[in-house]
Amino acid sequence: MSNNNQLLDSLNKKIDEMSLKMEKMKFVDYVYFLEHPRKMLWANFISGMARGFGIAIGFTLLGAVAIYILNKIVQYNLPYIGEFISEIVKIVQSSMRNVR
């Protein structure tokens, strides 16, 4: 009888540990989304839109900072870097003329 009680106690402890781990994993939310696929699709769509918007804003800011830094480098008229950037500008301007 004592063996059975110890076995039941250890099983109860394991079940409690498992339920705590499932709560930490938000297992209930996962099962809810599996039962309601439209809500899962909607949540994923919204999160994808937010990520795309964040990437667009981040790229815009990063590009603006890069252009600002390149502009400052050209203004300081550094010998090799200024020439390199002016060559890039010339290549872009000539390709723009050829497109038209």
Side-chain angles (χ1 to χ4, degrees):
M1 200 63 157
S2 149
N3 247 354
N4 287 339
N5 285 339
Q6 287 177 350
L7 183 62
L8 286 175
D9 286 342
S10 68
L11 283 175
N12 281 333
K13 286 180 185 177
K14 292 286 184 186
I15 290 172
D16 288 341
E17 289 174 12
M18 218 161 115
S19 67
L20 285 174
K21 287 180 182 178
M22 287 172 71
E23 283 180 29
K24 287 181 182 178
M25 290 182 351
K26 305 217 183 242
F27 191 71
V28 174
D29 295 337
Y30 177 70
V31 171
Y32 176 77
F33 278 134
L34 285 178
E35 291 174 353
H36 301 93
R38 285 186 182 192
K39 292 191 179 195
M40 181 176 60
L41 289 173
W42 181 250
N44 286 334
F45 175 73
I46 296 298
S47 66
M49 293 286 288
R51 282 188 196 107
F53 185 70
I55 289 170
I57 296 297
F59 185 74
T60 302
L61 291 176
L62 186 63
V65 169
I67 289 172
Y68 178 78
I69 290 172
L70 287 174
N71 192 10
K72 289 297 180 185
I73 289 173
V74 170
Q75 286 178 357
Y76 288 134
N77 202 12
L78 298 174
Y80 296 109
I81 298 174
E83 291 172 16
F84 178 70
I85 293 172
S86 67
E87 283 295 319
I88 292 174
V89 169
K90 286 178 187 176
I91 291 170
V92 169
Q93 287 177 346
S94 69
S95 68
M96 292 288 285
R97 285 188 206 121
N98 292 338
V99 171
R100 293 179 188 175

